[in-house]
């Protein structure tokens, strides 16, 4: 008996390829914000150094949104790699419970992606932004607050170090129960 169309849709869109595609879309959106983030950071530094007037630093910040987009991109990369290794972890559009998380460190362990010290710090910081400042002005609990940014490398560079080796691996499109094809990026 042929597989129902909705099952075919979910199986295909659960392919590592679509996880990689979503990671690329989120990366692109973050890259569009980065010049504004740099401008905002420069304005804050000038203000702290006393080189800029008080009213010239905007209250609106895109830095947390930028960080969250990078985090969601990395999450898609990790989940895509996990599914690449074990396609039984997704069924009819539903992820298995063990991968239903935004915990980037946990997803990295499941995906067997070792994190450097800078990558570990980066994952911690962007995960907090994904869970808190990205959507709402306050977190759901006190323990989720982002109290400061710990130094650990320049975010765009650390992100690229995670993205560049993982993304090319996710070019697998599952077409049927028995057939898969590699799709060039």
């Amino acid at each position: 008996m042929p597989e129902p169309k909705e099952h075919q849709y979910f199986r295909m869109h659960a392919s590592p390829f679509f996880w990689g595609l979503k990671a690329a879309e989120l990366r692109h959106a973050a890259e569009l914000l980065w010049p504004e983030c740099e401008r905002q950071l420069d304005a804050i530094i000038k203000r702290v150094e006393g080189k800029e007037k008080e009213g010239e630093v905007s209250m609106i910040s895109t830095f947390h949104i930028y960080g969250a987009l990078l985090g969601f991109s990395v999450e898609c990369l990790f989940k895509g790699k996990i599914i690449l290794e074990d396609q039984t972890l997704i069924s009819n559009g539903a992820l298995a419970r063990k991968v239903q998380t935004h915990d980037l460190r946990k997803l990295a362990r499941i995906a067997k992606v070792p994190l450097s010290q800078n990558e570990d710090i980066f994952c911690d910081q962007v995960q907090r932004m994904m869970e808190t400042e990205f959507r709402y002005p306050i977190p759901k609990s006190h323990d989720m607050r982002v109290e400061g940014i710990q130094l650990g490398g320049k975010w765009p560079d650390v992100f690229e170090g995670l993205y560049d080796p993982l993304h090319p691996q996710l070019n697998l499109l599952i077409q049927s129960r028995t057939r898969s094809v590699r799709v060039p990026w």
Side-chain angles (χ1 to χ4, degrees):
M1 172 162 49
E3 184 178 29
K5 286 186 181 190
E6 58 274 2
H7 289 217
Q8 293 172 11
Y9 171 85
F10 280 120
R11 184 178 22 75
M12 180 172 279
H13 284 266
S15 295
F17 172 79
F18 286 101
W19 288 92
L21 183 61
K22 183 55 67 179
E25 291 170 352
L26 291 162
R27 172 190 180 186
H28 178 71
E31 287 173 344
L32 292 173
L33 286 178
W34 180 243
E36 177 62 14
C37 291
E38 284 186 311
R39 188 197 64 72
Q40 291 169 359
L41 291 171
D42 288 344
I44 290 168
I45 290 169
K46 286 179 184 175
R47 173 70 179 111
V48 169
E49 292 173 345
K51 296 178 183 174
E52 194 163 304
K53 295 178 188 169
E54 197 168 317
E56 294 183 22
V57 177
S58 174
M59 293 292 292
I60 296 173
S61 173
T62 58
F63 192 73
H64 295 102
I65 296 168
Y66 169 76
L69 288 171
L70 291 182
F72 285 123
S73 179
V74 169
E75 179 181 334
C76 286
L77 291 172
F78 290 162
K79 288 180 178 181
K81 184 158 187 322
I82 291 166
I83 292 165
L84 179 68
E85 301 299 323
D86 185 358
Q87 294 167 11
T88 65
L89 292 174
I90 193 161
S91 177
N92 294 327
L95 287 169
R97 185 172 300 288
K98 77 178 193 177
V99 289
Q100 288 181 10
T101 182
H102 296 300
D103 185 335
L104 298 178
R105 292 167 165 163
K106 177 181 178 182
L107 292 171
R109 282 190 302 277
I110 296 169
K112 299 179 180 98
V113 175
L115 298 176
S116 70
Q117 182 180 6
N118 285 346
E119 291 167 344
D120 187 74
I121 291 168
F122 167 82
C123 285
D124 178 59
Q125 291 175 349
V126 297
Q127 177 185 329
R128 288 177 183 271
M129 290 180 179
M130 292 162 61
E131 295 172 341
T132 59
E133 282 102 349
F134 177 69
R135 299 176 291 183
Y136 307 114
I138 58 171
K140 290 181 181 179
S141 67
H142 292 288
D143 63 328
M144 294 179 73
R145 283 188 326 231
V146 177
E147 294 187 11
I149 301 299
Q150 181 181 0
L151 295 177
K154 191 174 180 186
W155 279 14
D157 297 335
V158 176
F159 171 76
E160 291 298 323
L162 285 168
Y163 186 93
D164 288 347
L166 288 175
H167 187 259
Q169 297 176 35
L170 303 182
N171 68 343
L172 185 71
L173 181 64
I174 300 165
Q175 295 180 309
S176 70
R177 291 181 182 154
T178 58
R179 186 164 180 244
S180 298
V181 64
R182 296 251 175 231
V183 180
W185 291 111

